[in-house]
Amino acid sequence: QEDLEALIAEFQSLDAKKTQVIETSCPPPSPRLNCSLCAHPERDELILFGGEYFNGQKTYLYNDLYIYHIRKNSWAKLDIPNPPPRRCAHQAAVVPTAGGQLWIFGGEFASPSGEQFYHYKDLWVLHLATKTWEQIKAPGGPSGRSGHRMVACKRQLIVFGGFHESTRDFIYYNDVYTFNLDSFTWSKLAPAGMGPAPRSGCLMTPTPEGNIIIYGGYSKQRIKKDVDKGTLHTDMFLLKAEGAGKEEDRWSWSRLSPSGVKPPPRSGFSVAAAPNSRCLLFGGVHDEEEEESIQGDFFNDIYFYDISKNRWFPAQLKGPRAEQRRRRRGRQAEAQEEPQLPPPQGPQEIVKELVAEDGTIMTIKQVIPGAAEAKDRPGSEEEEEEEEGGAPGQPLEPCPRCSAMVAVKHGVLYVYGGMLELGDRQVTLSDLHCLDLHRMEQWKVLLEMDPKTQEWLEESESDEEEDDDDVEGAEGGEEEEESSEEESEDEEGEQQHPAVQPGEAQPQYVTRTEQHWLRLARSHMGPEAKDRKVLKVAHAMAKTFYEDAI
């Protein structure tokens, strides 16, 4: 078995060879998940650190540091000596102290095979002004964990929840720790009242008064041997600081009952602070398990939570037609003698299908503004360019996804990457979109990515033969023949079913394959537990279920 600590030490020895700070312009970061994306507190920059990438066979961990220059729409890689070890599923928070600081806590490291995991409990700070990393060694902090949440609030870092998972067992947390940014000391809180159940991947946001709000999340518990039950949480809590300013603050939990329209249950959503004392929730996934199938519903919607009013409401985009209408009214006032033309139709929602090589289908929604008549009307070149930007070939909003990285700078939301499923494949995205949260008109594409170009390697036959050489060797040919038949059937289906138009029901493509049972096993994992974590075990389970099914 691989010695994870030795592997981490080997990577650190390579990092120790860096002796100077080097910043170089570079292409956008390679696709990755569970990294951190934060807005620089003083500059027009976004800071991306760490993450992981799984190509179906091997797991790659990163401790790269990238800077996105907002005004230039360009990326730079920043090599700084003695960085934190490679990790993913950590938490990061920025504070404006001394020219800006980026604080990082926890996360996990995985072996290349994806069979072993190491959970960090270390605390690091990146001094943005001097471009230096520093590890803060303070006792009494949280245990090693992933999927936790951390925010900066009134000269404190506050850490809540998360989970620790080994090859045999797992545990979810609901403890709360604070790290004082002045004394550099950890404290474990003991709030009064009934708090949230243990969970990971929740919403955590501070209030202007210095309190903390917790919403949603995911957890699982063991019902009996080898049987786990997952729970999507939809409850909401307030962690209130009482007696602020005294030597020891007192904290208490209370349950919140917000009004408005709450987000549908989901996991893997992303959270960011929004203008006007609001918090936003973006994307996520909800797996609905039926009798013989599982349907993963991915989201690309936005919900706002108004902290002062304790109210949820969905975001509504005005669309580019608002500006077009103002221009039309101005032209009509200047030339009232021109004949009146029928008003253009509003934006239409088009459902576009991406077909993978194996015939599986992923559906992506697009919003196409304007109608055909608008092209015939006299207008400026700016309007024509705007209409060209709404062409069907260029989506105006991020495709549905979970685990996206989000940050807000100057009232603009930036969404980077995330994950979606294309048939049996896990697609790691690396696109970049932005949305002005003040105007709320339309998404802007800063960096595109074609999900069909994503590398995905099936599990090698040698790994399968290690489990059962004789059985695998006997069944390999039959499975290949069956898969080829399925591919031919999918190709025929692709020709028979054109792209789905608005208002039409989507065709259902259900194939009882070994990968289908692998997805069933995946449905019981948490949002922070990746497919790679149980790939070997789930593959064996999937083989058994598949053989029983046929």
PDB file of all heavy atoms in Angstrom, residues 320-335 342-345 370-371 373-375 377-378 383 386-387:
ATOM      1  N   PRO A 320     -31.076  40.766 -22.181  1.00  0.00           N
ATOM      2  CA  PRO A 320     -30.580  41.894 -22.978  1.00  0.00           C
ATOM      3  C   PRO A 320     -31.676  42.707 -23.632  1.00  0.00           C
ATOM      4  O   PRO A 320     -31.451  43.821 -24.069  1.00  0.00           O
ATOM      5  CB  PRO A 320     -29.711  41.207 -24.039  1.00  0.00           C
ATOM      6  CG  PRO A 320     -30.269  39.821 -24.145  1.00  0.00           C
ATOM      7  CD  PRO A 320     -30.716  39.476 -22.762  1.00  0.00           C
ATOM      8  N   ARG A 321     -32.905  42.196 -23.684  1.00  0.00           N
ATOM      9  CA  ARG A 321     -33.984  42.922 -24.355  1.00  0.00           C
ATOM     10  C   ARG A 321     -34.355  44.212 -23.624  1.00  0.00           C
ATOM     11  O   ARG A 321     -34.956  45.102 -24.218  1.00  0.00           O
ATOM     12  CB  ARG A 321     -35.210  42.045 -24.480  1.00  0.00           C
ATOM     13  CG  ARG A 321     -35.652  41.418 -23.176  1.00  0.00           C
ATOM     14  CD  ARG A 321     -36.865  40.547 -23.357  1.00  0.00           C
ATOM     15  NE  ARG A 321     -37.254  39.920 -22.108  1.00  0.00           N
ATOM     16  CZ  ARG A 321     -38.403  39.319 -21.916  1.00  0.00           C
ATOM     17  NH1 ARG A 321     -39.276  39.254 -22.892  1.00  0.00           N
ATOM     18  NH2 ARG A 321     -38.690  38.762 -20.761  1.00  0.00           N
ATOM     19  N   ALA A 322     -33.976  44.349 -22.351  1.00  0.00           N
ATOM     20  CA  ALA A 322     -34.279  45.587 -21.637  1.00  0.00           C
ATOM     21  C   ALA A 322     -33.592  46.771 -22.309  1.00  0.00           C
ATOM     22  O   ALA A 322     -34.200  47.827 -22.528  1.00  0.00           O
ATOM     23  CB  ALA A 322     -33.837  45.475 -20.185  1.00  0.00           C
ATOM     24  N   GLU A 323     -32.315  46.604 -22.652  1.00  0.00           N
ATOM     25  CA  GLU A 323     -31.605  47.667 -23.345  1.00  0.00           C
ATOM     26  C   GLU A 323     -32.145  47.870 -24.752  1.00  0.00           C
ATOM     27  O   GLU A 323     -32.250  48.999 -25.232  1.00  0.00           O
ATOM     28  CB  GLU A 323     -30.115  47.336 -23.394  1.00  0.00           C
ATOM     29  CG  GLU A 323     -29.242  48.371 -24.090  1.00  0.00           C
ATOM     30  CD  GLU A 323     -29.233  49.701 -23.339  1.00  0.00           C
ATOM     31  OE1 GLU A 323     -29.526  49.696 -22.127  1.00  0.00           O
ATOM     32  OE2 GLU A 323     -28.930  50.728 -23.979  1.00  0.00           O
ATOM     33  N   GLN A 324     -32.500  46.794 -25.411  1.00  0.00           N
ATOM     34  CA  GLN A 324     -33.041  46.918 -26.770  1.00  0.00           C
ATOM     35  C   GLN A 324     -34.354  47.699 -26.758  1.00  0.00           C
ATOM     36  O   GLN A 324     -34.600  48.514 -27.654  1.00  0.00           O
ATOM     37  CB  GLN A 324     -33.251  45.519 -27.365  1.00  0.00           C
ATOM     38  CG  GLN A 324     -31.961  44.754 -27.585  1.00  0.00           C
ATOM     39  CD  GLN A 324     -32.209  43.348 -28.107  1.00  0.00           C
ATOM     40  OE1 GLN A 324     -33.338  43.009 -28.442  1.00  0.00           O
ATOM     41  NE2 GLN A 324     -31.162  42.543 -28.160  1.00  0.00           N
ATOM     42  N   ARG A 325     -35.198  47.462 -25.774  1.00  0.00           N
ATOM     43  CA  ARG A 325     -36.479  48.181 -25.707  1.00  0.00           C
ATOM     44  C   ARG A 325     -36.249  49.677 -25.496  1.00  0.00           C
ATOM     45  O   ARG A 325     -36.939  50.509 -26.086  1.00  0.00           O
ATOM     46  CB  ARG A 325     -37.330  47.611 -24.578  1.00  0.00           C
ATOM     47  CG  ARG A 325     -37.932  46.245 -24.904  1.00  0.00           C
ATOM     48  CD  ARG A 325     -38.662  45.693 -23.708  1.00  0.00           C
ATOM     49  NE  ARG A 325     -39.320  44.443 -24.027  1.00  0.00           N
ATOM     50  CZ  ARG A 325     -39.926  43.676 -23.128  1.00  0.00           C
ATOM     51  NH1 ARG A 325     -39.961  44.047 -21.863  1.00  0.00           N
ATOM     52  NH2 ARG A 325     -40.497  42.542 -23.496  1.00  0.00           N
ATOM     53  N   ARG A 326     -35.267  50.037 -24.664  1.00  0.00           N
ATOM     54  CA  ARG A 326     -34.989  51.457 -24.444  1.00  0.00           C
ATOM     55  C   ARG A 326     -34.518  52.120 -25.737  1.00  0.00           C
ATOM     56  O   ARG A 326     -34.896  53.240 -26.052  1.00  0.00           O
ATOM     57  CB  ARG A 326     -33.933  51.614 -23.348  1.00  0.00           C
ATOM     58  CG  ARG A 326     -34.460  51.344 -21.942  1.00  0.00           C
ATOM     59  CD  ARG A 326     -33.490  51.841 -20.892  1.00  0.00           C
ATOM     60  NE  ARG A 326     -32.247  51.077 -20.907  1.00  0.00           N
ATOM     61  CZ  ARG A 326     -32.035  50.005 -20.163  1.00  0.00           C
ATOM     62  NH1 ARG A 326     -32.996  49.548 -19.369  1.00  0.00           N
ATOM     63  NH2 ARG A 326     -30.882  49.381 -20.205  1.00  0.00           N
ATOM     64  N   ARG A 327     -33.717  51.403 -26.509  1.00  0.00           N
ATOM     65  CA  ARG A 327     -33.246  51.952 -27.771  1.00  0.00           C
ATOM     66  C   ARG A 327     -34.392  52.098 -28.771  1.00  0.00           C
ATOM     67  O   ARG A 327     -34.463  53.073 -29.512  1.00  0.00           O
ATOM     68  CB  ARG A 327     -32.155  51.052 -28.354  1.00  0.00           C
ATOM     69  CG  ARG A 327     -30.848  51.094 -27.561  1.00  0.00           C
ATOM     70  CD  ARG A 327     -29.879  50.075 -28.083  1.00  0.00           C
ATOM     71  NE  ARG A 327     -28.629  50.108 -27.340  1.00  0.00           N
ATOM     72  CZ  ARG A 327     -27.675  49.204 -27.460  1.00  0.00           C
ATOM     73  NH1 ARG A 327     -27.828  48.196 -28.293  1.00  0.00           N
ATOM     74  NH2 ARG A 327     -26.566  49.299 -26.755  1.00  0.00           N
ATOM     75  N   ARG A 328     -35.278  51.112 -28.786  1.00  0.00           N
ATOM     76  CA  ARG A 328     -36.420  51.186 -29.705  1.00  0.00           C
ATOM     77  C   ARG A 328     -37.317  52.380 -29.368  1.00  0.00           C
ATOM     78  O   ARG A 328     -37.805  53.082 -30.243  1.00  0.00           O
ATOM     79  CB  ARG A 328     -37.208  49.879 -29.665  1.00  0.00           C
ATOM     80  CG  ARG A 328     -36.460  48.688 -30.245  1.00  0.00           C
ATOM     81  CD  ARG A 328     -37.385  47.506 -30.438  1.00  0.00           C
ATOM     82  NE  ARG A 328     -36.640  46.323 -30.801  1.00  0.00           N
ATOM     83  CZ  ARG A 328     -36.300  45.352 -29.958  1.00  0.00           C
ATOM     84  NH1 ARG A 328     -36.637  45.458 -28.678  1.00  0.00           N
ATOM     85  NH2 ARG A 328     -35.627  44.300 -30.373  1.00  0.00           N
ATOM     86  N   ARG A 329     -37.541  52.585 -28.044  1.00  0.00           N
ATOM     87  CA  ARG A 329     -38.377  53.718 -27.646  1.00  0.00           C
ATOM     88  C   ARG A 329     -37.741  55.037 -28.057  1.00  0.00           C
ATOM     89  O   ARG A 329     -38.412  55.978 -28.466  1.00  0.00           O
ATOM     90  CB  ARG A 329     -38.624  53.692 -26.133  1.00  0.00           C
ATOM     91  CG  ARG A 329     -39.635  52.620 -25.692  1.00  0.00           C
ATOM     92  CD  ARG A 329     -40.111  52.904 -24.286  1.00  0.00           C
ATOM     93  NE  ARG A 329     -39.036  52.766 -23.323  1.00  0.00           N
ATOM     94  CZ  ARG A 329     -38.768  51.638 -22.661  1.00  0.00           C
ATOM     95  NH1 ARG A 329     -39.502  50.564 -22.888  1.00  0.00           N
ATOM     96  NH2 ARG A 329     -37.789  51.592 -21.788  1.00  0.00           N
ATOM     97  N   GLY A 330     -36.388  55.110 -27.961  1.00  0.00           N
ATOM     98  CA  GLY A 330     -35.698  56.322 -28.377  1.00  0.00           C
ATOM     99  C   GLY A 330     -35.811  56.558 -29.867  1.00  0.00           C
ATOM    100  O   GLY A 330     -36.021  57.692 -30.321  1.00  0.00           O
ATOM    101  N   ARG A 331     -35.713  55.516 -30.665  1.00  0.00           N
ATOM    102  CA  ARG A 331     -35.845  55.666 -32.111  1.00  0.00           C
ATOM    103  C   ARG A 331     -37.267  56.050 -32.501  1.00  0.00           C
ATOM    104  O   ARG A 331     -37.493  56.840 -33.418  1.00  0.00           O
ATOM    105  CB  ARG A 331     -35.436  54.358 -32.809  1.00  0.00           C
ATOM    106  CG  ARG A 331     -33.941  54.104 -32.792  1.00  0.00           C
ATOM    107  CD  ARG A 331     -33.591  53.055 -33.824  1.00  0.00           C
ATOM    108  NE  ARG A 331     -34.289  51.812 -33.600  1.00  0.00           N
ATOM    109  CZ  ARG A 331     -33.829  50.812 -32.849  1.00  0.00           C
ATOM    110  NH1 ARG A 331     -32.652  50.944 -32.251  1.00  0.00           N
ATOM    111  NH2 ARG A 331     -34.524  49.699 -32.709  1.00  0.00           N
ATOM    112  N   GLN A 332     -38.234  55.469 -31.803  1.00  0.00           N
ATOM    113  CA  GLN A 332     -39.630  55.787 -32.120  1.00  0.00           C
ATOM    114  C   GLN A 332     -39.937  57.253 -31.815  1.00  0.00           C
ATOM    115  O   GLN A 332     -40.713  57.897 -32.512  1.00  0.00           O
ATOM    116  CB  GLN A 332     -40.562  54.868 -31.325  1.00  0.00           C
ATOM    117  CG  GLN A 332     -40.524  53.420 -31.812  1.00  0.00           C
ATOM    118  CD  GLN A 332     -41.319  52.502 -30.911  1.00  0.00           C
ATOM    119  OE1 GLN A 332     -41.898  52.951 -29.928  1.00  0.00           O
ATOM    120  NE2 GLN A 332     -41.349  51.225 -31.246  1.00  0.00           N
ATOM    121  N   ALA A 333     -39.320  57.810 -30.774  1.00  0.00           N
ATOM    122  CA  ALA A 333     -39.554  59.221 -30.454  1.00  0.00           C
ATOM    123  C   ALA A 333     -38.945  60.132 -31.507  1.00  0.00           C
ATOM    124  O   ALA A 333     -39.470  61.208 -31.802  1.00  0.00           O
ATOM    125  CB  ALA A 333     -38.956  59.541 -29.081  1.00  0.00           C
ATOM    126  N   GLU A 334     -37.787  59.712 -32.082  1.00  0.00           N
ATOM    127  CA  GLU A 334     -37.135  60.535 -33.088  1.00  0.00           C
ATOM    128  C   GLU A 334     -37.792  60.411 -34.473  1.00  0.00           C
ATOM    129  O   GLU A 334     -37.774  61.349 -35.265  1.00  0.00           O
ATOM    130  CB  GLU A 334     -35.655  60.150 -33.195  1.00  0.00           C
ATOM    131  CG  GLU A 334     -34.860  60.453 -31.925  1.00  0.00           C
ATOM    132  CD  GLU A 334     -33.450  59.930 -32.020  1.00  0.00           C
ATOM    133  OE1 GLU A 334     -33.118  59.341 -33.080  1.00  0.00           O
ATOM    134  OE2 GLU A 334     -32.690  60.119 -31.058  1.00  0.00           O
ATOM    135  N   ALA A 335     -38.358  59.270 -34.763  1.00  0.00           N
ATOM    136  CA  ALA A 335     -38.963  59.048 -36.081  1.00  0.00           C
ATOM    137  C   ALA A 335     -40.335  58.417 -35.894  1.00  0.00           C
ATOM    138  O   ALA A 335     -40.522  57.213 -36.047  1.00  0.00           O
ATOM    139  CB  ALA A 335     -38.068  58.154 -36.938  1.00  0.00           C
ATOM    140  N   PRO A 342     -44.365  44.906 -35.905  1.00  0.00           N
ATOM    141  CA  PRO A 342     -44.750  44.111 -34.722  1.00  0.00           C
ATOM    142  C   PRO A 342     -43.567  43.932 -33.789  1.00  0.00           C
ATOM    143  O   PRO A 342     -42.431  43.793 -34.246  1.00  0.00           O
ATOM    144  CB  PRO A 342     -45.189  42.764 -35.332  1.00  0.00           C
ATOM    145  CG  PRO A 342     -44.523  42.721 -36.671  1.00  0.00           C
ATOM    146  CD  PRO A 342     -44.485  44.132 -37.147  1.00  0.00           C
ATOM    147  N   PRO A 343     -43.847  43.984 -32.498  1.00  0.00           N
ATOM    148  CA  PRO A 343     -42.747  43.840 -31.530  1.00  0.00           C
ATOM    149  C   PRO A 343     -42.120  42.455 -31.637  1.00  0.00           C
ATOM    150  O   PRO A 343     -42.794  41.476 -31.958  1.00  0.00           O
ATOM    151  CB  PRO A 343     -43.440  44.032 -30.165  1.00  0.00           C
ATOM    152  CG  PRO A 343     -44.871  43.659 -30.429  1.00  0.00           C
ATOM    153  CD  PRO A 343     -45.160  44.072 -31.832  1.00  0.00           C
ATOM    154  N   PRO A 344     -40.818  42.379 -31.372  1.00  0.00           N
ATOM    155  CA  PRO A 344     -40.155  41.077 -31.449  1.00  0.00           C
ATOM    156  C   PRO A 344     -40.583  40.184 -30.298  1.00  0.00           C
ATOM    157  O   PRO A 344     -41.041  40.647 -29.259  1.00  0.00           O
ATOM    158  CB  PRO A 344     -38.661  41.439 -31.332  1.00  0.00           C
ATOM    159  CG  PRO A 344     -38.660  42.725 -30.561  1.00  0.00           C
ATOM    160  CD  PRO A 344     -39.900  43.458 -30.983  1.00  0.00           C
ATOM    161  N   GLN A 345     -40.419  38.941 -30.545  1.00  0.00           N
ATOM    162  CA  GLN A 345     -40.726  37.976 -29.493  1.00  0.00           C
ATOM    163  C   GLN A 345     -39.660  38.041 -28.414  1.00  0.00           C
ATOM    164  O   GLN A 345     -38.549  38.505 -28.640  1.00  0.00           O
ATOM    165  CB  GLN A 345     -40.785  36.568 -30.076  1.00  0.00           C
ATOM    166  CG  GLN A 345     -41.874  36.404 -31.136  1.00  0.00           C
ATOM    167  CD  GLN A 345     -41.845  35.009 -31.733  1.00  0.00           C
ATOM    168  OE1 GLN A 345     -41.031  34.185 -31.344  1.00  0.00           O
ATOM    169  NE2 GLN A 345     -42.736  34.756 -32.663  1.00  0.00           N
ATOM    170  N   GLY A 370     -34.374  37.754 -28.612  1.00  0.00           N
ATOM    171  CA  GLY A 370     -34.767  38.335 -29.894  1.00  0.00           C
ATOM    172  C   GLY A 370     -35.412  37.334 -30.822  1.00  0.00           C
ATOM    173  O   GLY A 370     -35.391  36.131 -30.610  1.00  0.00           O
ATOM    174  N   ALA A 371     -36.019  37.838 -31.880  1.00  0.00           N
ATOM    175  CA  ALA A 371     -36.655  36.990 -32.876  1.00  0.00           C
ATOM    176  C   ALA A 371     -36.075  37.314 -34.242  1.00  0.00           C
ATOM    177  O   ALA A 371     -35.285  38.227 -34.418  1.00  0.00           O
ATOM    178  CB  ALA A 371     -38.174  37.232 -32.888  1.00  0.00           C
ATOM    179  N   GLU A 373     -37.455  38.640 -36.794  1.00  0.00           N
ATOM    180  CA  GLU A 373     -37.834  39.929 -37.343  1.00  0.00           C
ATOM    181  C   GLU A 373     -36.868  41.036 -36.935  1.00  0.00           C
ATOM    182  O   GLU A 373     -36.696  42.015 -37.631  1.00  0.00           O
ATOM    183  CB  GLU A 373     -39.247  40.319 -36.886  1.00  0.00           C
ATOM    184  CG  GLU A 373     -40.328  39.324 -37.258  1.00  0.00           C
ATOM    185  CD  GLU A 373     -40.594  38.377 -36.116  1.00  0.00           C
ATOM    186  OE1 GLU A 373     -39.631  37.708 -35.710  1.00  0.00           O
ATOM    187  OE2 GLU A 373     -41.727  38.325 -35.650  1.00  0.00           O
ATOM    188  N   ALA A 374     -36.251  40.874 -35.762  1.00  0.00           N
ATOM    189  CA  ALA A 374     -35.397  41.941 -35.269  1.00  0.00           C
ATOM    190  C   ALA A 374     -34.199  42.162 -36.175  1.00  0.00           C
ATOM    191  O   ALA A 374     -33.629  43.241 -36.223  1.00  0.00           O
ATOM    192  CB  ALA A 374     -34.919  41.616 -33.853  1.00  0.00           C
ATOM    193  N   LYS A 375     -33.764  41.129 -36.911  1.00  0.00           N
ATOM    194  CA  LYS A 375     -32.611  41.272 -37.778  1.00  0.00           C
ATOM    195  C   LYS A 375     -32.921  42.178 -38.963  1.00  0.00           C
ATOM    196  O   LYS A 375     -32.020  42.722 -39.591  1.00  0.00           O
ATOM    197  CB  LYS A 375     -32.156  39.893 -38.269  1.00  0.00           C
ATOM    198  CG  LYS A 375     -31.720  38.976 -37.144  1.00  0.00           C
ATOM    199  CD  LYS A 375     -31.253  37.632 -37.685  1.00  0.00           C
ATOM    200  CE  LYS A 375     -30.819  36.714 -36.549  1.00  0.00           C
ATOM    201  NZ  LYS A 375     -30.385  35.403 -37.047  1.00  0.00           N
ATOM    202  N   ARG A 377     -34.840  44.850 -38.856  1.00  0.00           N
ATOM    203  CA  ARG A 377     -35.114  46.228 -38.453  1.00  0.00           C
ATOM    204  C   ARG A 377     -33.837  47.045 -38.500  1.00  0.00           C
ATOM    205  O   ARG A 377     -32.744  46.559 -38.221  1.00  0.00           O
ATOM    206  CB  ARG A 377     -35.697  46.270 -37.049  1.00  0.00           C
ATOM    207  CG  ARG A 377     -36.999  45.500 -36.924  1.00  0.00           C
ATOM    208  CD  ARG A 377     -37.686  45.833 -35.640  1.00  0.00           C
ATOM    209  NE  ARG A 377     -37.985  47.263 -35.557  1.00  0.00           N
ATOM    210  CZ  ARG A 377     -38.623  47.807 -34.539  1.00  0.00           C
ATOM    211  NH1 ARG A 377     -39.012  47.066 -33.540  1.00  0.00           N
ATOM    212  NH2 ARG A 377     -38.875  49.092 -34.513  1.00  0.00           N
ATOM    213  N   PRO A 378     -33.933  48.344 -38.830  1.00  0.00           N
ATOM    214  CA  PRO A 378     -32.730  49.181 -38.844  1.00  0.00           C
ATOM    215  C   PRO A 378     -32.203  49.351 -37.434  1.00  0.00           C
ATOM    216  O   PRO A 378     -32.958  49.531 -36.479  1.00  0.00           O
ATOM    217  CB  PRO A 378     -33.227  50.514 -39.435  1.00  0.00           C
ATOM    218  CG  PRO A 378     -34.693  50.526 -39.146  1.00  0.00           C
ATOM    219  CD  PRO A 378     -35.150  49.097 -39.217  1.00  0.00           C
ATOM    220  N   GLU A 383     -26.082  46.833 -31.919  1.00  0.00           N
ATOM    221  CA  GLU A 383     -27.220  45.930 -31.791  1.00  0.00           C
ATOM    222  C   GLU A 383     -26.994  44.664 -32.573  1.00  0.00           C
ATOM    223  O   GLU A 383     -27.317  43.568 -32.123  1.00  0.00           O
ATOM    224  CB  GLU A 383     -28.497  46.618 -32.279  1.00  0.00           C
ATOM    225  CG  GLU A 383     -29.123  47.547 -31.278  1.00  0.00           C
ATOM    226  CD  GLU A 383     -30.444  48.063 -31.786  1.00  0.00           C
ATOM    227  OE1 GLU A 383     -30.612  48.205 -32.997  1.00  0.00           O
ATOM    228  OE2 GLU A 383     -31.314  48.300 -30.942  1.00  0.00           O
ATOM    229  N   GLU A 386     -24.791  42.488 -30.735  1.00  0.00           N
ATOM    230  CA  GLU A 386     -25.491  41.913 -29.594  1.00  0.00           C
ATOM    231  C   GLU A 386     -26.335  40.733 -30.034  1.00  0.00           C
ATOM    232  O   GLU A 386     -26.422  39.723 -29.341  1.00  0.00           O
ATOM    233  CB  GLU A 386     -26.346  43.008 -28.956  1.00  0.00           C
ATOM    234  CG  GLU A 386     -26.888  42.631 -27.594  1.00  0.00           C
ATOM    235  CD  GLU A 386     -27.576  43.813 -26.955  1.00  0.00           C
ATOM    236  OE1 GLU A 386     -28.498  44.354 -27.562  1.00  0.00           O
ATOM    237  OE2 GLU A 386     -27.186  44.184 -25.845  1.00  0.00           O
ATOM    238  N   GLU A 387     -26.959  40.865 -31.232  1.00  0.00           N
ATOM    239  CA  GLU A 387     -27.771  39.761 -31.720  1.00  0.00           C
ATOM    240  C   GLU A 387     -26.900  38.591 -32.108  1.00  0.00           C
ATOM    241  O   GLU A 387     -27.238  37.431 -31.900  1.00  0.00           O
ATOM    242  CB  GLU A 387     -28.603  40.238 -32.918  1.00  0.00           C
ATOM    243  CG  GLU A 387     -29.519  41.403 -32.595  1.00  0.00           C
ATOM    244  CD  GLU A 387     -30.924  41.126 -33.053  1.00  0.00           C
ATOM    245  OE1 GLU A 387     -31.133  40.110 -33.713  1.00  0.00           O
ATOM    246  OE2 GLU A 387     -31.807  41.927 -32.743  1.00  0.00           O
TER     247      GLU A 387
END
